[in-house]
Amino acid sequence: MTGKQKMIQIAVIMLLSVIAMTRNEIWRGGDKTLWEDVVHKSPLKPRPYMALGVYHNSIGNYDRALRDYSVAIESASKKIGQGEDLAGSLDIMSAAQSNISVVLMHSGRYKEAEDILKATLRLNPGFPGASVNLGNLYIALKRYPEA
């Protein structure tokens, strides 16, 4: 192996090391930095927005969670309209709608939450998240027979 080939190998190893260290920082930053990076790299996919919404919901940033869920719904809807990943996109859309209803319940907007959950179940009958959240809503409202 010539000196030039060794220098190229060293340069490639150094470059790959820097790339790996950069990627490790993204993973080390937690859910927020990881999903923001995925959204940046795949802005048309619904799942990263859904995950980012779950993150923001978990820290009580409900306005941002609502925006993320809404983008996930819009993106999933486009995929369904294009005939892509029908089952996966429908489940993501249903989960995002169900999660929006939870955010609405936190803010006392029960009627809106109920309407969204019923619409979700019409779109995707038997979707577990919507069924559970609708039952929880009815329990919170003391509408036990409907739960």
Side-chain angles (χ1 to χ4, degrees):
M1 185 176 303
T2 67
K4 186 175 181 178
Q5 289 173 327
K6 285 182 184 180
M7 292 298 287
I8 291 172
Q9 282 183 337
I10 291 171
V12 168
I13 290 171
M14 289 176 61
L15 175 65
L16 293 175
S17 296
V18 169
I19 291 170
M21 288 177 7
T22 303
R23 192 73 188 150
N24 286 343
E25 285 303 311
I26 291 168
W27 281 89
R28 198 173 327 204
D31 289 346
K32 182 178 186 230
T33 56
L34 173 65
W35 289 114
E36 284 176 344
D37 183 61
V38 175
V39 162
H40 176 73
K41 291 177 179 168
S42 302
L44 302 177
K45 294 187 176 181
R47 193 174 310 276
Y49 289 101
M50 178 67 184
L52 201 51
V54 169
Y55 167 77
H56 285 113
N57 194 17
S58 74
I59 63 167
N61 189 348
Y62 300 124
D63 290 338
R64 179 64 193 271
L66 286 173
R67 282 196 308 261
D68 293 332
Y69 293 144
S70 295
V71 174
I73 290 167
E74 182 181 327
S75 179
S77 178
K78 285 180 184 175
K79 285 186 156 303
I80 290 170
Q82 296 167 350
E84 297 177 24
D85 188 26
L86 298 179
S89 293
L90 181 60
D91 282 348
I92 289 171
M93 184 184 304
S94 300
Q97 289 172 320
S98 184
N99 289 352
I100 284 173
S101 74
V102 172
V103 173
L104 294 173
M105 283 188 269
H106 281 294
S107 61
R109 295 161 61 185
Y110 299 111
K111 179 63 176 140
E112 289 175 75
E114 181 181 17
D115 291 346
I116 288 172
L117 289 167
K118 286 181 174 180
T120 301
L121 289 170
R122 280 191 301 275
L123 177 70
N124 194 354
F127 183 74
S131 298
V132 168
N133 287 336
L134 187 58
N136 289 337
L137 172 68
Y138 289 147
I139 289 169
L141 296 175
K142 298 184 180 3
R143 292 166 53 185
Y144 301 117
E146 295 170 85

